[in-house]
Amino acid sequence: MGKSKVADVELSVRPLDVDTWPAFARLVEANNGVWGGCWCVGFHAKLGKDRTAAQNRDEKEQRVREGRTHAALVFADDQCLGWCQFGSPDELPEVKSRRLYEKGLTALPEWRITCFFTGKGLRGRGVAGAALGGALAEIARLGGGTVEGYPEETDDRKVSGSFLHTGPMAAFENHGFTRTRPISPHRWVVTRTVAPA
């Protein structure tokens, strides 16, 4: 997917697949299953109190084996630092602020960028930007098309990292996305067209 250098550390981006699953799983396990056990399936399926972290892990691993989940994983050597998840609306049907999202919807995009994660102690190294760049490169390789993201606008306010799991606005704007419409007081739909590689 690509390489970049941040603070003298060379970052590489690789797709989530059966070969990178162990590194992805190590990062998730080191971070309490990501937000208490989501395992990055919250945009694949509705999460409720009846689902356990173990069920989410099993579902994510099964999706990886079947090629039904996509993410751009950022690595420093063999350590996974974080990722950006992307996929089609069929693969990722859950979105934040659904009521307002659907109210202004005219057409579904080909691709959604739904969430970002960077491990504890690894933030501030350019992981989100590298992951988003890797996701866009993989989308181009897979045929391109219209891409939507749903970032949080911080508006110079201090925001907890857990609220930025859909990505910071600056990362999207730095990668050529434009604001399409607001779907909450601080969340926007942003779009970009990606040409096929």
Side-chain angles (χ1 to χ4, degrees):
M1 283 184 167
K3 291 188 178 207
S4 62
K5 203 164 187 171
V6 177
D8 293 330
V9 176
E10 190 170 292
L11 301 178
S12 63
V13 183
R14 303 177 209 161
L16 174 60
D17 58 23
V18 293
D19 294 328
T20 57
W21 169 261
F24 170 83
R26 278 192 299 276
L27 179 62
V28 175
E29 288 163 355
N31 288 273
N32 191 30
V34 179
W35 294 297
C38 172
W39 273 87
C40 210
V41 298
F43 292 96
H44 291 299
K46 282 191 189 281
L47 299 183
K49 293 177 183 174
D50 57 335
R51 288 182 64 112
T52 67
Q55 288 170 315
N56 292 340
R57 182 194 195 284
D58 291 346
E59 178 171 335
K60 189 69 172 188
E61 187 172 12
Q62 185 66 31
R63 285 177 176 273
V64 168
R65 279 197 216 112
E66 295 171 355
R68 296 185 304 120
T69 187
H70 296 86
L73 306 182
V74 178
F75 284 82
D77 296 319
D78 290 329
Q79 180 189 9
C80 181
L81 307 180
W83 66 79
C84 169
Q85 178 173 253
F86 65 95
S88 69
D90 284 342
E91 187 178 294
L92 298 166
E94 301 300 320
V95 294
K96 298 290 181 189
S97 308
R98 177 174 290 286
R99 186 181 60 76
L100 286 174
Y101 174 79
E102 289 178 345
K103 183 177 181 181
L105 183 65
T106 56
L108 286 173
E110 281 82 22
W111 300 95
R112 285 181 168 154
I113 293 177
T114 55
C115 66
F116 292 77
F117 183 77
T118 302
K120 289 180 189 131
L122 304 172
R123 296 179 182 127
R125 295 169 65 176
V127 173
L132 181 54
L136 294 172
E138 187 66 3
I139 286 169
R141 189 187 72 76
L142 294 168
T146 303
V147 183
E148 276 186 357
Y150 316 99
E152 181 88 5
E153 174 57 78
T154 58
D155 298 322
D156 297 325
R157 62 193 166 92
K158 197 118 171 110
V159 178
S160 164
S162 63
F163 284 102
L164 294 175
H165 68 277
T166 55
M169 182 65 76
F172 283 92
E173 290 179 336
N174 290 341
H175 280 88
F177 283 80
T178 58
R179 297 177 194 214
T180 305
R181 58 195 169 92
I183 52 173
S184 80
H186 301 286
R187 180 168 286 124
W188 286 76
V189 175
V190 295
T191 56
R192 179 186 158 176
T193 300
V194 173

